[in-house]
Amino acid sequence: MQAAALGALLLMAGFVVAGPSGFLAWSENEHLLVQQQKQIEQLNSERDHMRNRVKLLDPAHADPDLAGELLRSNLNVAHPDEMVMLLPKQP
């Protein structure tokens, strides 16, 4: 009976150290947390950028510069006196 209790105790101690939520998994979980927080910051930045563009394209008072940029890039239109220079897109 004592051997079974000792075995169960050792098994529980093993889970405390090397289990999915044990001491060895804490550093990995902290690393994953930091990565996910960086990803959240990046996504928040992208969301704010998109929110600003949507605000600038409000039909009631659209930003003329952004509207002109979108027309030129999406419809390939330009004024007759403009010179078009194609630049590679930045990643």
Side-chain angles (χ1 to χ4, degrees):
M1 190 67 171
Q2 291 178 348
L6 180 63
L9 184 62
L10 290 175
L11 182 65
M12 285 190 282
F15 278 123
V16 166
V17 173
S21 59
F23 292 125
L24 297 179
W26 276 8
S27 63
E28 182 180 344
N29 289 339
E30 287 181 24
H31 179 69
L32 290 174
L33 178 63
V34 168
Q35 283 182 338
Q36 289 176 351
Q37 286 174 340
K38 287 180 183 178
Q39 184 180 14
I40 287 172
E41 289 175 12
Q42 178 187 4
L43 291 173
N44 283 337
S45 173
E46 290 177 22
R47 183 194 62 204
D48 292 341
H49 177 73
M50 292 297 217
R51 186 178 287 156
N52 184 38
R53 285 183 66 93
V54 167
K55 187 176 109 177
L56 291 174
L57 288 174
D58 182 22
H61 42 69
D63 181 42
D65 291 333
L66 183 58
E69 176 188 334
L70 290 174
L71 284 172
R72 286 180 175 82
S73 66
N74 293 337
L75 299 178
N76 294 325
V77 296
H79 291 288
D81 61 343
E82 288 182 334
M83 180 184 294
V84 177
M85 297 176 61
L86 298 176
L87 299 173
K89 289 193 176 199
Q90 299 295 325

